[in-house]
Amino acid sequence: MTRPYTILSAAMSVDGYIDDATEERLILSGDEDWDRVDELRASVDAIMVGANTIRRDNPRLGVRSDKRRADREARGLPANPLRVTFTASGSLGNDAAFFRDDNFVVFGPPAVPLPVMLADLARRGVRRLLVEGGSAVHTAFLTQNLADEVRLAVAPIFVGDSRAPRFVQDGRFGTGRMVLGEIRQAGDCTVMQFFPDADRYWLRQCIEESRKCPPSETAYPVGAVIVGSDGREISRGYSRETDPTAHAEEEALAKVSPDDPRLKTATIYSSLEPCSTRKSRPRSCAQWIIGSGIPRVVFGLREPSRFVVGAGFEMLAAAGVTVVERPDVAPEVKLVSTLYG
């Protein structure tokens, strides 16, 4: 993994503000939501905030619950996650709670690019990162497509003051329509989970499907999901689900009527490049996809040449299908292939 799995977390008003414009901090959520955040903090390896958040709020960025801290220590982890910040100026007071012990990392000065910071954290063993603001930090992660999840607690109040900080600032957000995950209530707040990068989200669903594959010495574990243009799942499947020689894309397509109009605007996701040739069937997965009329294919890893020489990308593209390769997800696909293939 080249960077940690990254979760952005914030509480905001109905009109999108994370604070008001006064000197006193606006309390948006209550005990139930704080406990939810504490549980989330206990589940990560590091918590990041920007330098402005440290100057303004002086957060401790620790796990409050004694039991959760003890549970972390029982698993061989520090009681609290690593604290992380970055600064271009270096103007951080030594008396800040952030510096209360040596379990912290500061990037800069000078300014360090986010991808460089994330790669460094991954090398330090940080697999899950929680980002708690502020606005400029959240904006940077989202505009650079570096967030895997967004968790927002929406408080039932309005701030109504454009001078106050919002969850994000102006920016070019190339994530498109996000995938909505869980919705829950925490006190009087509504907590929503979003996945900003829909392609990355669905590819990870494919990887989870691939874990279901029966072991084989002559085929890779592969998962596939078909998603409609409305963002809703149509079907899914995994290799060898119903037949020892069946492929994941084939299994997913078999669960949908060929006349289903949703296929004409759908995307099929596959953890591995759809095959262009195969020994066990007269028709390859690329040919099945072309015949279905699905106009877009997204996959995580090119098919290795261990069993056959694959050219699914080229075959699909030549037929007018939009094909997207996501090498950022490839390491996760390779890991499952190593474990299950």
Side-chain angles (χ1 to χ4, degrees):
M1 188 176 200
T2 57
R3 66 169 180 81
Y5 186 89
T6 301
I7 304 166
L8 308 190
S9 175
M12 68 180 192
S13 64
V14 172
D15 49 347
Y17 293 96
I18 58 174
D19 203 346
D20 57 23
T22 67
E23 291 297 322
E24 186 176 347
R25 184 183 177 190
L26 175 65
I27 303 301
L28 288 161
S29 56
D31 291 342
E32 288 187 39
D33 189 55
W34 275 110
D35 187 65
R36 174 193 66 83
V37 172
D38 197 58
E39 181 180 29
L40 180 58
R41 285 181 173 183
S43 74
V44 302
D45 302 303
I47 304 171
M48 176 185 283
V49 294
N52 284 336
T53 298
I54 294 175
R55 297 183 194 109
R56 178 181 173 87
D57 297 334
N58 194 27
R60 291 187 59 81
L61 303 179
V63 177
R64 293 184 171 193
S65 164
D66 293 339
K67 181 180 184 306
R68 289 176 181 138
R69 289 197 302 271
D71 287 345
R72 285 177 58 89
E73 291 179 318
R75 301 198 309 271
L77 301 173
N80 291 294
L82 179 72
R83 301 182 301 280
V84 182
T85 192
F86 53 97
T87 172
S89 67
S91 58
L92 289 171
N94 292 332
D95 58 346
F98 182 90
F99 298 111
R100 67 183 179 274
D101 56 38
D102 60 1
N103 190 31
F104 68 85
V105 174
V106 178
F107 291 99
V112 179
L114 270 182
V116 174
M117 284 190 272
L118 295 178
D120 183 84
L121 290 174
R123 287 191 292 270
R124 294 170 185 264
V126 175
R127 297 181 59 82
R128 284 171 59 85
L129 172 67
L130 179 62
V131 180
E132 295 192 355
S135 300
V137 177
H138 286 148
T139 303
F141 271 89
L142 288 167
T143 55
Q144 296 180 48
N145 195 25
L146 294 172
D148 296 287
E149 284 186 43
V150 177
R151 301 195 187 187
L152 292 175
V154 181
I157 63 171
F158 290 92
V159 171
D161 188 341
S162 61
R163 297 172 300 167
R166 301 180 71 94
F167 168 54
V168 291
Q169 300 172 350
D170 293 347
R172 296 180 63 87
F173 299 93
T175 56
R177 194 175 186 88
M178 297 190 294
V179 176
L180 175 63
E182 181 185 38
I183 301 176
R184 57 183 284 194
Q185 184 173 348
D188 64 353
C189 292
T190 301
V191 182
M192 297 177 289
Q193 176 191 43
F194 296 99
F195 298 92
D197 187 331
D199 285 352
R200 188 159 59 214
Y201 170 81
W202 289 113
L203 282 175
R204 285 186 169 137
Q205 294 297 304
C206 293
I207 292 169
E208 290 307 307
E209 280 296 294
S210 74
R211 296 179 186 274
K212 302 176 184 178
C213 296
S216 171
E217 295 183 355
T218 58
Y220 290 103
V222 182
V225 182
I226 302 174
V227 180
S229 58
D230 60 356
R232 296 184 180 183
E233 181 179 324
I234 296 174
S235 68
R236 64 173 60 198
Y238 56 90
S239 295
R240 305 179 289 284
E241 181 178 356
T242 62
D243 183 283
T245 59
H247 287 192
E249 301 93 332
E250 180 185 6
E251 295 277 16
L253 283 165
K255 298 171 184 174
V256 188
S257 168
D259 299 323
D260 193 321
R262 295 176 297 174
L263 294 178
K264 304 306 178 185
T265 56
T267 295
I268 184 166
Y269 294 89
S270 179
S271 54
L272 196 69
E273 176 188 19
C275 66
S276 58
T277 182
R278 58 195 295 191
K279 299 175 181 178
S280 59
R281 292 278 206 276
R283 202 176 189 190
S284 69
C285 288
Q287 290 170 320
W288 277 109
I289 292 168
I290 293 167
S292 73
I294 291 177
R296 185 171 183 265
V297 175
V298 182
F299 67 89
L301 177 68
R302 289 267 186 164
E303 184 177 15
S305 58
R306 177 181 174 187
F307 304 119
V308 297
V309 177
F313 187 116
E314 291 76 12
M315 180 179 287
L316 290 161
V321 177
T322 299
V323 188
V324 179
E325 179 182 0
R326 288 295 299 260
D328 57 314
V329 183
E332 297 171 62
V333 180
K334 289 180 180 178
L335 176 62
V336 176
S337 296
T338 300
L339 295 177
Y340 294 84

